Amino acid sequence: MLKNVNRKEVVFIITLLIVIAILTILPTGFQKQEYKFTEGVRAKVISVNNNGIHSTGIFKLGDQSALIEIETGSRKGEQIRANNMLTGSLSVDKIFREGDKAWVLIGFDEENNINFANMIDHYRIDKEMILIGVFAVVIIIFSGYTGVRTLLSFAFALLSIWKILIPAMLRGYNPLIVALFVGNVLTVSTLLLVAGFSKKAYAAIISAVTCSLVTCVLAIIFGNLFNIHGAVMEGAESLLYAGFMNLDLTSIFQAGIYLASSGAILDLAIDISSALEEIINNSPDISKSELIKSGLNIGKSVVGSQTTTLLFAYMGSYITIMMVYVAQGTPMMNILNSKTIAAEILHTFVGCLGLVLVSPMTSVISGFIFEKGRYQI
């Protein structure tokens, strides 16, 4: 399996592993110092007391009390009383039952005695790790060494967004520039990991980066034309209330449009360049124009399915909003003119434009890069 790995790939993978290790231990710079007298622990719910809960229709208010046994941290093994405050919000509130695992924030006084315990949420880390493990095993089984490289790409992308992109935006750096930098680095690294240092990877990189830049420009242009403020994003106003008053929410919104579409763009770019690689390997005498024509024909079918996939992906994020509008009998003109729906239309069709452009561009670039009779796997 490792015989086909060339020296460039080995050096690149080792370098990437070092970068991943650095990003893993790199602090975001936004650790909350006021939490130094608290500790987050996993706990088992021994029993619950629901007498303090008051129901109003489908909503619940009040305070749920529970006896918990701490399973991690400095107070492991201790049993204490913890509180679960209910606010009447279905998206935030949680109800615990006997036997549940909970993530609990415990606080200490000056004598290191526990003075409060708040039940933050159900403990899900173990289930999340199982799901991630299943994903890793399946992708390695079906993709082999390429699956391992895909996992490295996934880890690098996640850490780059968490440790570089988000902190940089919070510090007030231009969101569009930061997003372009991180997005293009991730595009290049992902394609090199998946396709190696090959001509198909180079063709996909040039095409994906170019189309991503076009997508970013379109997001800015139509974002301004639609007159949509970045506060339309969920949680955006909470950033302002948290003290980040100088953030350019509109630019963050536009950067998000670019980032959301860049993944689909690089996916389509490598699909087409890989298909053209197979064509030229099996028909080495094919002309440049015929190769480009083949790429365009392949792209016609793939773009149709990819754009529909992108539509489904975005639709899932605002399906409840559409249901509210339909349930209220809101006229279609009112729906299309609403800020939330217009923002999703902007997301969807700017991304689709990028996908439409990447097909012919990858075909043309591949036609020039794949030199007849000289391409090697």
Side-chain angles (χ1 to χ4, degrees):
M1 181 175 63
L2 298 176
K3 291 181 180 179
N4 295 326
V5 181
N6 60 40
R7 184 175 298 177
K8 288 182 180 179
E9 290 184 30
V10 172
V11 173
F12 179 68
I13 290 174
I14 292 174
T15 303
L16 192 63
L17 286 171
I18 294 173
V19 173
I20 289 174
I22 294 173
L23 289 176
T24 301
I25 62 176
L26 182 70
T28 62
F30 291 92
Q31 289 77 12
K32 293 291 186 179
Q33 296 300 318
E34 60 264 31
Y35 292 159
K36 61 183 178 180
F37 293 114
T38 63
E39 182 181 6
V41 298
R42 186 185 72 224
K44 180 180 180 180
V45 179
I46 305 300
S47 62
V48 295
N49 184 347
N50 296 327
N51 292 333
I53 299 178
H54 309 285
S55 298
T56 305
I58 62 173
F59 302 103
K60 297 181 183 297
L61 297 168
D63 181 17
Q64 181 187 39
S65 175
L67 176 65
I68 62 172
E69 181 178 342
I70 300 174
E71 296 184 335
T72 61
S74 61
R75 298 304 180 91
K76 181 178 178 180
E78 292 188 23
Q79 291 189 0
I80 59 173
R81 280 282 171 186
N83 293 322
N84 172 32
M85 297 296 298
L86 303 175
T87 62
S89 173
L90 294 176
S91 62
V92 176
D93 289 343
K94 57 277 174 188
I95 297 294
F96 294 94
R97 295 177 176 84
E98 182 180 334
D100 285 350
K101 300 288 184 178
W103 183 250
V104 182
L105 185 69
I106 57 176
F108 305 95
D109 58 21
E110 295 180 354
E111 298 178 355
N112 203 34
N113 297 316
I114 297 177
N115 55 12
F116 73 85
N118 293 332
M119 303 177 74
I120 305 300
D121 215 321
H122 288 87
Y123 185 80
R124 302 183 178 94
I125 303 299
D126 50 351
K127 286 84 173 179
E128 293 170 354
M129 295 306 296
I130 291 173
L131 179 59
I132 294 172
V134 171
F135 165 71
V137 170
V138 170
I139 198 171
I140 291 174
I141 290 174
F142 287 98
S143 301
Y145 179 59
T146 301
V148 176
R149 294 188 295 184
T150 301
L151 292 175
L152 286 177
S153 172
F154 190 88
F156 178 58
L158 181 62
L159 288 170
S160 296
I161 292 172
W162 184 256
K163 296 297 184 72
I164 299 176
L165 178 73
I166 294 176
M169 287 185 175
L170 286 173
R171 289 186 175 90
Y173 291 101
N174 188 297
L176 291 166
I177 295 177
V178 173
L180 282 171
F181 172 75
V182 174
N184 286 324
V185 169
L186 292 178
T187 294
V188 173
S189 61
T190 298
L191 292 174
L192 289 178
L193 277 171
V194 173
F197 287 79
S198 61
K199 291 184 178 180
K200 69 177 179 181
Y202 302 147
I205 287 171
I206 296 171
S207 176
V209 170
T210 303
C211 290
S212 294
L213 291 173
V214 172
T215 302
C216 186
V217 173
L218 291 174
I220 296 171
I221 294 173
F222 284 98
N224 293 332
L225 288 175
F226 278 34
N227 195 26
I228 296 178
H229 192 274
V232 72
M233 297 180 293
E234 184 178 357
E237 291 187 23
S238 297
L239 282 172
L240 302 181
Y241 299 146
F244 298 93
M245 300 295 295
N246 295 325
L247 291 181
D248 187 349
L249 295 180
T250 301
S251 292
I252 295 175
F253 169 69
Q254 293 167 354
I257 296 175
Y258 154 72
L259 286 173
S261 61
S262 61
I265 288 174
L266 74 87
D267 177 49
L268 183 55
I270 193 62
D271 285 346
I272 295 176
S273 65
S274 296
L276 294 182
E277 176 197 55
E278 289 299 316
I279 291 175
I280 202 168
N281 285 339
N282 291 294
S283 302
D285 295 328
I286 190 172
S287 66
K288 183 186 297 183
S289 59
E290 290 174 333
L291 186 65
I292 293 175
K293 184 178 179 181
S294 296
L296 293 173
N297 290 331
I298 294 170
K300 289 177 183 178
S301 300
V302 179
V303 165
S305 61
Q306 285 276 24
T307 52
T308 304
T309 300
L310 196 63
L311 174 63
F312 287 161
Y314 286 131
M315 184 179 294
S317 65
Y318 64 96
I319 188 68
T320 52
I321 300 174
M322 288 294 297
M323 290 173 68
V324 170
Y325 282 131
V326 172
Q328 293 176 343
T330 307
M332 181 58 68
M333 293 299 292
N334 290 16
I335 294 175
L336 295 177
N337 275 294
S338 69
K339 186 183 295 185
T340 52
I341 298 302
E344 296 302 335
I345 290 174
L346 183 63
H347 262 284
T348 302
F349 287 95
V350 167
C352 288
L353 278 170
L355 286 176
V356 172
L357 292 174
V358 77
S359 172
M361 182 165 293
T362 305
S363 301
V364 172
I365 293 173
S366 297
F368 283 95
I369 289 182
F370 295 163
E371 298 179 15
K372 183 173 69 174
R374 296 179 57 188
Y375 183 74
Q376 298 179 347
I377 301 177

